[in-house]
Amino acid sequence: MPLPATKFRCAVLSAIKHDYVARGLASHPRFELVVVADDPQIPDWAHQRNEEFASAWQIPYVRDVERALREFDVQVAIVSPEAERHCDLSIRAAAAGKHIVQDKPLATSREMAGRLVAAVEENKVKFLMWNRNFVPAVEAARRQIAAGEIGRPFAVHLDFYFAKDAGPPKGTRQPGDPPLDWQAHQIAAHVDGADGGLGREPLGELAIEGIYPLGYLRALTGAQVRRVFARRAAHFHQLYADSGVEDLATLSLEMEGGLVGSLALGRIGASSHASGGEIKLHVLASEGALVANEARPEVGVYYRGQPAKEARQRRVAGDNDFLLAENFAVAIDNDGDTILDVHASHAIFATIEAALESCRTGQPVEVS
Amino acid sequence: MIRLAVFGDEALARELAPRLRGAAVDTRETPDACDAVLLVETNREDAQLALRCLSAGKHVLLTAQAWLSSDVLAALSAAARNAGVQLAVANPDRFLPSRQLIRQQLDAGKLGEPGLIRVHRWEPAATSGQSSELPTPLLRDLDLALWLCGKPPDVVYAVEPAIVALSLGERERCISRSEMTTVVQVHLGFPGGGMALVDYADRLPPGEGYQSLSVIGSAGAAYADDHQNMQLVYRGGGPQGVLAGEQGQRTALMTQDFVDGLTAGRDFSPSVLAWQNVLTVADAVRESLASRRAVVWEGR
């Protein structure tokens, strides 16, 4: 009779941004949330969110990260604070010998990204950047490419639009009104999950969501991006214009193996799609091509009095959370790599950095 | 009533005749007994025919083609001016019903300011000839991007795959430009922050092609994608996709616009300028591919 698989006890190091990471991991029977922890000096609103999450899961909330890591017999740390604290908490978890599941983005600075990579390597812990690579459409495309159905890819094009609002439209601020406050908006946006850029430091959509489509690119091709040309704009939202960051970006990519690709992404406003955003994959290859709608399979649901912001097309049969957690568990069991480990995440971070540099210079930039 | 001649294409004349208002359609071999001439999907040799028609005092509608270079445009424009007639250069893809609908939404302000134009066009290899010119379909897609954005770009960047893997059983190798079919990705930046990505490839296996157009504006978006216009056919094995196409009305809509314009006394020189702008962008695409740098026009 096979031995029961090890159950991993998890510390949730801050649940103030995307608690779906912790909930996603906990959906797998091998992961158990046992404590929520955060630093004592965070604002009251952040403590309140942590307490609410801990209460909902009937687990303690500890205002001392190191004590939680030390005293609760955890093997895994789930990191989902504001973006500017991602690296600090993950580095501390790595130093305590804990495997890490972290929310995106990887980091908000090159220096911190490097320190995180070093900490994971030095402490020989596993790292998983939470991602969407196991959504059914991406997984199906990956399998088709891996099986040689369309030959060898030479171009990959990705569209990744979140049809969500982020405050009032651009151009609506009246003369004399102060600029919109980034953090205040993100705190308020938590109620509908539109707070991907939570933190004091404004983040453009490349930093906030670029990891998802660039993660698809790696999953489909395995290729590193070598060179990028990018354009960006605050096109839709006053908040992004006031904060000097982009809500729309386009990238032309040159990858190893001679592949080329493109990425168009943005937070394009709730009015611009019936169901939360158009996300598409286009792959050209030596023997054919494929076009995939990342949202499928989906079901259309329409009814009288339906709220305008409710998606008309609903995703079904998604197994991303379980498969990510399974991937993480197997990596720990077998001392293997996760589907999006710290090195792959760092490569994506470097691509985004190069894209932002290209936006500043107006010329293509090598990815270092 | 405009007397419209369609040279050497009786099938097209029969297709157009019942649809056009304000015009009588006929086929001709020489530019006489007509007011205007329609030259559709022509080749380089037809430049002389167009010149003869213009010189004979006939208005001419030419579909935009890769061979319509700046020099040819200049010669034809001069002939039109001298004869006091109209030269119109039309991109038939502008008249696809989906593109017309999107343009109407933009003109009505429903989509706001265009922020992103995204075009994909993939064709089977056989439809494109080996040439140093950028293919006509790619130029037409560049025209679409400029038309929908309402202005020419101020930045052009282009990439192409360095190695195109060959069929199974053939050795993978670097292929020279003259051997390759065309796979080009064009990235445009527009004054005010708008952007366009135009992806063209003629590397599909024999069969149907694929097209997609997305327009993301500040207040809304439009998506015209062959993917969502597929019908399913089951013949055993997996289902096949059959495109619910829209090509059938394109030429008639384009021709009607020409007829209406002539009737109203419209000046068609902006259509010539629009194609000239495309040629300028095409030159920048070639320059960018060669230099691996973005071509930037200051002060546009």
Side-chain angles (χ1 to χ4, degrees):
Chain A
M1 176 178 288
L3 290 171
T6 309
K7 198 152 184 158
F8 300 106
R9 293 169 61 85
C10 306
V12 182
L13 301 187
S14 191
I16 69 174
K17 182 156 60 89
H18 291 146
D19 63 4
Y20 63 62
V21 180
R23 287 188 283 107
L25 205 65
S27 71
H28 191 294
R30 291 191 65 189
F31 293 92
E32 179 187 10
L33 307 184
V34 299
V35 63
V36 179
D38 213 329
D39 287 321
Q41 70 272 19
I42 62 174
D44 289 342
W45 63 264
H47 282 303
Q48 183 179 345
R49 286 190 188 175
N50 285 329
E51 283 165 353
E52 286 169 359
F53 185 82
S55 174
W57 285 81
Q58 299 180 306
I59 55 179
Y61 174 47
V62 176
R63 299 188 182 205
D64 185 328
V65 168
E66 272 66 32
R67 182 163 81 83
L69 294 175
R70 195 173 54 240
E71 296 183 3
F72 281 79
D73 186 27
V74 301
Q75 295 82 43
V76 171
I78 303 169
V79 176
S80 188
E82 322 90 296
E84 54 243 24
R85 290 201 299 137
H86 282 175
C87 279
D88 175 66
L89 286 173
S90 290
I91 289 168
R92 289 154 68 185
K98 313 303 178 187
H99 304 296
I100 302 156
V101 178
Q102 189 191 292
D103 194 7
K104 44 83 175 168
L106 180 75
T108 56
S109 75
R110 181 177 294 209
E111 182 209 348
M112 290 303 289
R115 286 175 54 193
L116 174 54
V117 173
V120 169
E121 286 178 338
E122 184 181 314
N123 292 283
K124 296 181 171 47
V125 296
K126 300 302 171 189
F127 180 96
L128 172 68
M129 175 67 68
W130 199 252
N131 62 84
R132 297 160 65 116
N133 284 3
F134 285 121
V135 298
V138 174
E139 180 59 10
R142 190 196 62 75
R143 281 199 305 268
Q144 285 176 301
I145 293 169
E149 300 273 358
I150 58 172
R152 179 173 167 174
F154 56 79
V156 179
H157 303 287
L158 302 163
D159 294 290
F160 200 91
Y161 311 125
F162 279 160
K164 296 182 181 179
D165 288 331
K170 182 181 171 186
T172 53
R173 182 155 62 85
Q174 299 302 311
D177 285 352
L180 296 176
D181 181 80
W182 180 266
Q183 175 152 285
H185 168 82
Q186 298 296 330
I187 291 171
H190 183 70
V191 65
D192 63 0
D195 58 341
L198 181 67
R200 286 187 309 278
E201 182 184 329
L203 290 176
E205 289 300 309
L206 271 172
I208 294 172
E209 57 178 290
I211 190 110
Y212 289 143
L214 291 172
Y216 296 165
L217 186 64
R218 286 187 72 90
L220 296 175
T221 68
Q224 302 266 34
V225 177
R226 293 297 188 214
R227 200 162 184 262
V228 58
F229 173 79
R231 302 278 294 183
R232 66 174 187 155
H235 192 72
F236 307 100
H237 303 104
Q238 190 63 50
L239 176 70
Y240 285 70
D242 286 349
S243 302
V245 294
E246 78 285 348
D247 51 23
L248 179 67
T250 49
L251 277 58
S252 283
L253 304 166
E254 294 164 75
M255 293 170 273
E256 60 188 2
L259 271 75
V260 298
S262 66
L263 168 60
L265 88 167
R267 188 170 296 258
I268 65 173
S271 59
S272 291
H273 194 270
S275 301
E278 180 89 338
I279 302 178
K280 295 207 73 162
L281 292 65
H282 293 81
V283 181
L284 279 159
S286 58
E287 306 298 322
L290 68 83
V291 180
N293 184 324
E294 186 254 31
R296 292 175 187 170
E298 55 188 357
V299 171
V301 177
Y302 312 84
Y303 57 89
R304 192 180 306 151
Q306 190 172 20
K309 288 194 174 180
E310 184 173 285
R312 270 58 179 160
Q313 298 292 119
R314 315 272 185 94
R315 294 169 181 249
V316 293
D319 214 13
N320 191 60
D321 287 355
F322 177 87
L323 292 173
L324 281 178
E326 177 71 6
N327 174 266
F328 188 55
V330 169
I332 296 173
D333 290 343
N334 300 330
D335 193 21
D337 296 327
T338 68
I339 190 172
L340 197 57
D341 65 13
V342 74
H343 297 287
S345 304
H346 192 241
I348 290 173
F349 174 83
T351 299
I352 293 170
E353 287 270 287
L356 292 170
E357 177 66 14
S358 177
C359 293
R360 283 189 288 272
T361 64
Q363 290 294 338
V365 171
E366 304 286 333
V367 177
S368 59
Chain B
M1 181 70 71
I2 304 288
R3 295 172 299 167
L4 182 67
V6 180
F7 274 66
D9 193 338
E10 288 199 21
L12 179 59
R14 278 199 304 276
E15 176 195 323
L16 291 175
R19 288 185 176 270
L20 292 180
R21 296 180 307 277
V25 182
D26 203 349
T27 53
R28 286 283 184 275
E29 297 300 326
T30 55
D32 56 358
C34 69
D35 303 306
V37 174
L38 176 64
L39 296 172
V40 173
E41 304 305 338
T42 53
N43 54 50
R44 192 178 305 279
E45 287 69 40
D46 292 310
Q48 287 303 317
L49 174 59
L51 206 56
R52 281 206 312 277
C53 292
L54 291 165
S55 300
K58 314 300 177 184
H59 307 292
V60 170
L61 169 62
L62 269 169
T63 54
Q65 308 278 146
W67 63 263
L68 266 179
S69 65
S70 297
D71 291 345
V72 172
L73 278 182
L76 293 176
S77 295
R81 272 196 308 276
N82 291 340
V85 292
Q86 294 291 330
L87 167 67
V89 176
N91 175 0
D93 291 339
R94 289 191 186 192
F95 296 92
L96 288 166
S98 62
R99 278 51 171 168
Q100 287 284 300
L101 176 63
I102 291 173
R103 181 56 195 242
Q104 288 160 14
Q105 300 304 305
L106 280 169
D107 289 345
K110 298 290 175 67
L111 307 185
E113 187 68 24
L116 171 62
I117 312 294
R118 171 75 126 155
V119 182
H120 297 287
R121 187 195 296 254
W122 303 342
E123 299 184 319
T127 61
S128 166
Q130 300 281 330
S131 169
S132 61
E133 291 174 344
L134 295 176
T136 291
L138 170 57
L139 299 184
R140 289 178 177 177
D141 287 340
L142 293 175
D143 174 71
L144 274 182
L146 273 57
W147 178 57
L148 292 169
C149 274
K151 63 186 95 168
D154 57 4
V155 176
V156 177
Y157 182 68
V159 294
E160 57 188 351
I163 297 174
V164 177
L166 301 177
S167 300
L168 291 174
E170 297 187 56
R171 186 170 55 87
E172 191 176 286
R173 59 193 168 96
C174 280
I175 313 174
S176 68
R177 184 87 179 89
S178 62
E179 293 176 275
M180 263 180 66
T181 51
T182 304
V183 181
V184 177
Q185 180 179 308
V186 181
H187 197 154
L188 305 177
F190 293 86
M195 314 164 206
L197 284 168
V198 179
D199 153 44
Y200 176 82
D202 57 10
R203 282 280 308 190
L204 288 185
E208 300 286 333
Y210 167 80
Q211 290 189 59
S212 167
L213 167 66
S214 302
V215 177
I216 313 293
S218 57
Y223 310 92
D225 192 339
D226 281 358
H227 188 207
Q228 71 204 36
N229 288 325
M230 286 294 176
Q231 314 287 23
L232 300 179
V233 175
Y234 292 83
R235 295 198 190 103
Q240 291 176 272
V242 177
L243 183 62
E246 57 167 339
Q247 303 282 337
Q249 300 175 44
R250 187 177 66 163
T251 305
L253 290 170
M254 178 184 71
T255 309
Q256 186 66 63
D257 180 75
F258 179 56
V259 168
D260 292 345
L262 289 178
T263 304
R266 192 199 311 168
D267 173 19
F268 282 91
S269 60
S271 71
V272 178
L273 177 61
W275 193 245
Q276 179 58 62
N277 286 337
V278 171
L279 297 177
T280 302
V281 173
D283 286 342
V285 168
R286 281 184 282 269
E287 181 183 341
S288 181
L289 287 172
S291 68
R292 301 188 72 221
R293 302 270 298 165
V295 175
V296 180
W297 290 296
E298 299 290 343
R300 267 208 180 192

